[in-house]
């Protein structure tokens, strides 16, 4: 059984590695969720069918490469992604900053998922509450439940995923069975038009946090073949099945609004499953975001925040984002994720696979079943941080090419060149 919270600051022992399916099922759960359905609905309502699936294919290739590479490193070293970053360019404090970036992104996801919860609740009540009040109540309720460890949320998490998958299958059958593929292709998109490059960046942005979390799971894997299989199955299930079906459904119903789709086809049952799904996802979002902030503050300042107080504050901030309309900025949110996270993953892979800056220390300590000593652990990797910032800015501001690819390639090239130059400069005086 996989427990992500186990072995937070140590390697997973070889005798604790688990089967391929044990890792694959948990990893697939990251992308077989409501957020992927929302992304697919936006693509289907804003692009031609061919362009939407081309965006999924291109985004999946990028996601697959970085996910397998990072997953392989996690499997080989037996450590989580945030821990691995210490010896892959970012250093101890730099890895803490990565955790903070993840926490902030999860805060955004909390706001988006809570907005979907509130829209579903308000729709079910005939608009009696109004969206701002519904979003405030749902956000506060979930924050209190997570803060005080309400056990019913665990039950919700167990039933939400299979219920959601069954709902998607039902809606797909009900919606698509009466239409031919050519009829769906001929339907014009009704949403705000999206370019291929913007759509590819959104696809990457919708899945990239899962890439960074992949080592947290694959550290339990037994081989690189298992990592490759896990990555492939997740792409098939999350991108091509959930995302792909959402594209077809959105085009057929001529809307990207998930609440409208669910209520129109499945009625109250659909809305209930949406609410359960948002509860399940936001439970994890709020919990992980709180831990990320606590770890970041402790790593940078040495001060340990109280879990309950931190969770309350983050929950209130996420609720405020819902009320202020973060759901209306869903495309922008995915775009930001799609240009900020790829540089982090790319730099880690360049350092681990090409530069191998700390591979000797990792190899020595792995043979002993330990982590590298403090003397082998850099405090902060300024080169990696600078390259990440430059790549992210380039991805956000440039209008040529594909933003996610621009940010990834620019940051990797800058990091590689600077790291090699600094290494040569350090070696030169000793020659």
């Amino acid at each position: 059984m996989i427990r992500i919270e186990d072995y937070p600051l140590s390697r997973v022992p070889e005798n604790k590695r688990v089967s391929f399916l044990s890792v694959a099922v948990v990893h697939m759960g990251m992308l077989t969720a409501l957020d992927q359905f929302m992304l697919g609905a936006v693509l289907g309502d804003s692009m031609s069918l061919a362009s939407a699936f081309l965006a999924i294919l291109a985004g999946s290739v990028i996601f697959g490469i970085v996910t397998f590479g990072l997953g392989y490193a996690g499997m080989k070293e037996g450590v989580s992604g945030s821990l691995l970053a210490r010896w892959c360019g970012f250093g101890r404090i730099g890895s803490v900053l990565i955790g903070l970036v993840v926490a902030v992104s999860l805060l955004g996801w909390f706001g988006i998922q809570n907005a979907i919860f509130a829209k579903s609740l308000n729709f079910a009540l005939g608009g009696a509450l109004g969206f701002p009040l519904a979003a405030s109540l749902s956000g506060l309720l979930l924050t209190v439940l997570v803060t005080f460890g309400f056990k019913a949320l665990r039950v919700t998490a167990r039933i939400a995923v299979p219920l959601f998958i069954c709902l998607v299958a039902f809606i797909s059958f009900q919606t698509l069975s009466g239409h031919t593929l050519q009829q769906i292709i001929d339907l014009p998109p009704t949403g705000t038009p999206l370019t291929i490059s913007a759509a590819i960046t959104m696809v990457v942005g919708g899945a990239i946090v899962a890439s960074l979390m992949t080592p947290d799971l694959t550290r339990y894997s037994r081989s690189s073949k298992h990592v490759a299989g896990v990555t492939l199955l997740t792409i098939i299930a999350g991108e091509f099945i959930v995302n792909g079906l959402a594209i077809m459904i959105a085009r057929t119903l001529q809307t990207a609004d998930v609440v409208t789709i669910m209520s129109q086809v499945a009625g109250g049952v659909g809305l209930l499953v949406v609410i359960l799904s948002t509860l399940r996802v936001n439970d994890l979002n709020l919990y992980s975001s709180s831990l990320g902030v606590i770890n970041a503050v402790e790593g940078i300042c040495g001060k340990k925040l109280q879990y309950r107080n931190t969770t309350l504050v983050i929950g209130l901030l996420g609720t405020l984002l819902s009320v202020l309309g973060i759901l209306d900025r869903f495309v922008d949110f995915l775009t930001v994720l799609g240009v900020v996270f790829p540089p982090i993953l790319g730099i880690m892979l360049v350092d681990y696979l090409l530069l191998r800056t700390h591979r000797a220390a990792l190899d020595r300590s792995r043979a002993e079943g330990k982590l590298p000593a403090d003397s082998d652990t850099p405090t902060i990797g300024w080169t990696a941080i600078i390259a990440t910032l430059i790549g992210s800015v380039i991805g956000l501001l440039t209008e040529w090419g594909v933003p996610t690819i621009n940010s990834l390639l620019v940051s990797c090239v800058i990091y590689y060149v600077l790291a090699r130059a600094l290494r040569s400069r350090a070696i030169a005086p000793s020659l």
Side-chain angles (χ1 to χ4, degrees):
M1 178 180 177
I2 293 178
R3 292 174 58 89
I4 295 179
E5 63 269 23
D6 287 347
Y7 308 103
L9 296 174
S10 62
R11 297 179 186 271
V12 174
E14 289 294 333
N15 61 357
K16 296 296 182 180
R17 302 296 176 105
V18 298
S19 67
F20 165 74
L21 282 179
S22 296
V23 178
V25 168
V26 178
H27 197 265
M28 282 191 293
M30 292 182 177
L31 293 193
T32 53
L34 184 62
D35 46 6
Q36 283 300 305
F37 192 90
M38 292 166 57
L39 169 59
V42 171
L43 296 181
D45 193 45
S46 303
M47 312 176 73
S48 69
L49 196 65
S51 296
F53 276 97
L54 179 59
I56 286 182
L57 177 61
S60 296
V61 170
I62 298 170
F63 170 78
I65 291 172
V66 296
T67 300
F68 171 73
L70 211 59
Y72 167 79
M75 179 277 302
K76 187 174 180 64
E77 303 300 338
V79 299
S80 65
S82 58
L83 199 58
L84 185 66
R86 294 185 181 184
W87 302 282
C88 289
F90 287 91
R92 181 177 58 81
I93 293 179
S95 67
V96 169
L97 292 175
I98 292 176
L100 186 59
V101 172
V102 173
V104 172
S105 73
L106 294 176
L107 172 62
W109 277 118
F110 178 91
I112 287 172
Q113 296 285 351
N114 182 59
I116 293 293
F117 184 121
K119 285 190 68 174
S120 302
L121 180 63
N122 195 43
F123 187 92
L125 296 176
L129 292 178
F131 176 75
L133 179 58
S136 300
L137 291 176
S138 59
L140 291 173
L141 175 64
L142 184 59
T143 299
V144 171
L145 293 179
V146 175
T147 300
F148 293 96
F150 191 53
K151 293 183 179 179
L153 287 176
R154 299 176 187 174
V155 178
T156 301
R158 292 190 185 101
I159 65 174
V161 174
L163 279 179
F164 178 73
I165 293 174
C166 290
L167 178 65
V168 171
F170 172 76
I171 291 177
S172 300
F173 176 78
Q174 289 290 102
T175 305
L176 303 178
S177 58
H179 298 78
T180 65
L181 179 60
Q182 188 60 49
Q183 288 176 328
I184 297 174
I185 292 173
D186 291 339
L187 289 171
T190 58
T192 304
L194 276 176
T195 63
I196 288 286
S197 60
I200 292 172
T201 301
M202 288 174 57
V203 172
V204 174
I208 201 68
V209 177
S211 293
L212 190 57
M213 295 175 65
T214 294
D216 299 358
L217 301 178
T218 57
R219 61 196 176 124
Y220 287 95
S221 296
R222 293 171 179 166
S223 70
S224 58
K225 291 182 180 179
H226 284 190
V227 177
V230 165
T231 303
L232 183 60
L233 282 180
T234 296
I235 289 174
I236 292 172
E239 299 292 4
F240 286 97
I241 296 181
V242 174
N243 220 336
L245 288 174
I247 289 173
M248 305 280 282
I249 292 168
R251 286 189 66 76
T252 304
L253 297 180
Q254 300 281 277
T255 180
D257 190 328
V258 173
V259 174
T260 299
I261 291 173
M262 298 298 178
S263 60
Q264 185 174 331
V265 181
V269 174
L271 292 177
L272 176 62
V273 174
V274 169
I275 289 174
L276 290 176
S277 297
T278 55
L279 275 174
R280 170 249 177 185
V281 174
N282 261 354
D283 175 25
L284 296 173
N285 286 339
L286 189 53
Y287 174 75
S288 299
S289 184
S290 299
L291 290 185
V293 170
I294 291 170
N295 292 336
V297 171
E298 185 177 16
I300 297 172
C301 307
K303 181 179 179 181
K304 186 171 180 61
L305 300 177
Q306 294 295 318
Y307 171 75
R308 286 187 175 180
N309 293 338
T310 305
T311 304
L312 284 172
V313 171
I314 292 176
L316 290 175
L317 288 174
T319 302
L320 180 61
L321 288 176
S322 299
V323 174
L324 293 177
I326 189 174
L327 184 59
D328 297 329
R329 312 295 295 182
F330 182 57
V331 172
D332 296 329
F333 177 69
L334 291 183
T335 300
V336 171
L337 294 185
V339 299
V340 170
F341 277 92
I344 295 173
L345 276 68
I347 287 169
M348 290 177 64
L349 290 177
V350 166
D351 192 280
Y352 187 81
L353 298 175
L354 299 180
L355 296 173
R356 304 167 66 92
T357 307
H358 295 92
R359 285 292 288 275
L362 286 168
D363 291 344
R364 286 195 304 270
S365 60
R366 184 173 63 250
E368 300 172 354
K370 301 177 181 178
L371 293 176
D374 290 342
S375 58
D376 292 321
T377 305
T379 302
I380 184 167
W382 286 112
T383 304
I385 292 173
I386 292 171
T388 298
L389 291 175
I390 294 175
S392 299
V393 170
I394 293 294
L396 285 171
L397 299 183
T398 55
E399 297 182 358
W400 47 267
V402 181
T404 191
I405 296 177
N406 295 342
S407 65
L408 177 64
L409 293 181
V410 168
S411 59
C412 288
V413 170
I414 290 176
Y415 178 71
Y416 182 83
V417 171
L418 288 179
R420 287 295 297 266
L422 291 173
R423 180 185 295 180
S424 299
R425 186 176 178 182
I427 294 174
S430 62
L431 297 179

